Amino acid sequence: MAKRTKGKCKYCGKEYTMSYMNRHLSACEERRKQLTAQTGSKRCGYFQLAVYSKYDRDYWMFIEVRDTATLKDVDSFLRDIWLECCGHLSAFTIDGIRYDVQPDTDSFWGIPARSMNYKLKSVLEKGMTIEYEYDFGSTTELMITVVNHRPGYWQKDKLIILSRNNPPVFICDECGEKAAVFISGEYDWTGKGLLCEDCIKKSEFDEEMFLDICNSPRVGVCGYNGSDIYPDQFMSDLDKETAEK
């Protein structure tokens, strides 16, 4: 069995694979302490979602989203952290119903898609798994499982990352020793094209076809070069405290 990527828990900093992190988050003592300590005059609900690549389980994350947030809010987040490169279209499929970022109201091809302006609490239920697509040409397909729904106090952050996979390490195809940092857009049909900083200088590939290797299931696709907002390495609360000292 292939070795799975691990990721850090936001609250305690411990590292687990996706399946173990799913169990850990419900039992994490540090998370429990922080949730118990929260106060406020307004109550709301939160969905815990597991988001992962449909075809490469090395890429995953757990997020918690206010249930009054919309599908559009989740779509914007997924674009920001994993996907956005050229403003492509995207869509969720929930219980056979499609929710498009730019829905076409023409019913010629069947039931028209809905918009993404629906609140999560009106379309999601604990236990369901839904599909998400970004770019209907070079498509990146994600799966989203609704792990849990909990009541809580209203917090200013509509969405928080609970855990995210650590960046996978790729070895250079040329030297077979150093970590690759670039991927060629020709990689899919040559079987080669993962290169380190030294080997890219003597590569036979067109340098304009190279993209940065980034922590995303869209790595090497279209013009994707990583997120401008979220670093590849997710930092736990403990990591942030250490960095600030």
Side-chain angles (χ1 to χ4, degrees):
M1 183 179 292
K3 187 176 181 180
R4 295 296 186 189
T5 54
K6 292 184 178 181
K8 293 183 178 182
C9 169
K10 162 183 166 59
Y11 300 95
C12 67
K14 293 180 180 178
E15 292 190 348
Y16 299 101
T17 60
M18 179 182 174
S19 60
Y20 276 89
M21 185 60 71
N22 189 32
R23 289 175 246 174
H24 168 75
L25 287 170
S26 63
C28 177
E29 287 296 329
E30 187 58 37
R31 183 188 183 200
R32 190 173 301 171
K33 289 178 184 177
Q34 291 192 29
L35 292 180
T36 301
Q38 288 179 354
T39 59
S41 58
K42 186 177 179 181
R43 302 277 292 183
C44 60
Y46 291 91
F47 280 112
Q48 182 176 315
L49 308 179
V51 187
Y52 48 97
S53 170
K54 185 174 183 178
Y55 299 110
D56 190 344
R57 296 298 180 87
D58 279 342
Y59 300 100
W60 55 267
M61 58 183 151
F62 289 93
I63 62 176
E64 190 167 70
V65 195
R66 197 183 305 151
D67 64 8
T68 54
T70 63
L71 291 172
K72 178 62 177 175
D73 291 324
V74 178
D75 174 69
S76 296
F77 167 74
L78 294 175
R79 288 168 176 268
D80 287 344
I81 193 169
W82 264 0
L83 305 166
E84 189 63 87
C85 59
C86 303
H88 298 291
L89 298 177
S90 57
F92 294 92
T93 302
I94 306 173
D95 277 345
I97 300 174
R98 190 178 176 90
Y99 300 82
D100 279 11
V101 68
Q102 293 181 13
D104 186 348
T105 57
D106 187 354
S107 60
F108 180 79
W109 299 106
I111 300 174
R114 298 178 180 179
S115 78
M116 291 186 182
N117 293 326
Y118 285 81
K119 292 182 179 180
L120 299 186
K121 64 180 181 180
S122 69
V123 294
L124 299 187
E125 294 180 0
K126 179 181 176 180
M128 67 168 39
T129 295
I130 67 178
E131 298 181 5
Y132 174 88
E133 299 168 273
Y134 174 83
D135 181 2
F136 304 148
S138 302
T139 310
T140 299
E141 298 181 62
L142 306 179
M143 305 298 291
I144 303 173
T145 297
V146 184
V147 177
N148 196 19
H149 180 271
R150 70 171 182 87
Y153 288 104
W154 190 93
Q155 302 294 312
K156 67 174 183 177
D157 292 324
K158 185 182 297 184
L159 184 154
I160 63 170
I161 304 171
L162 304 179
S163 182
R164 180 188 177 187
N165 69 278
N166 296 328
V169 177
F170 298 93
I171 300 301
C172 176
D173 286 328
E174 294 297 320
C175 67
E177 297 177 355
K178 296 180 180 180
V181 292
F182 301 102
I183 183 170
S184 170
E186 303 167 356
Y187 180 77
D188 286 344
W189 56 270
T190 63
K192 288 190 175 183
L194 296 171
L195 300 177
C196 65
E197 290 183 346
D198 291 334
C199 290
I200 193 174
K201 298 173 183 177
K202 51 187 178 181
S203 170
E204 62 185 22
F205 292 112
D206 182 354
E207 289 191 15
E208 292 185 359
M209 296 294 291
F210 279 102
L211 299 168
D212 294 335
I213 290 180
C214 47
N215 189 11
S216 162
R218 198 163 174 79
V219 61
V221 178
C222 192
Y224 188 69
N225 247 329
S227 173
D228 294 329
I229 300 173
Y230 297 93
D232 278 353
Q233 179 61 63
F234 174 68
M235 296 179 68
S236 69
D237 291 345
L238 295 176
D239 291 331
K240 292 176 182 177
E241 289 177 8
T242 301
E244 290 172 357
K245 292 181 180 179

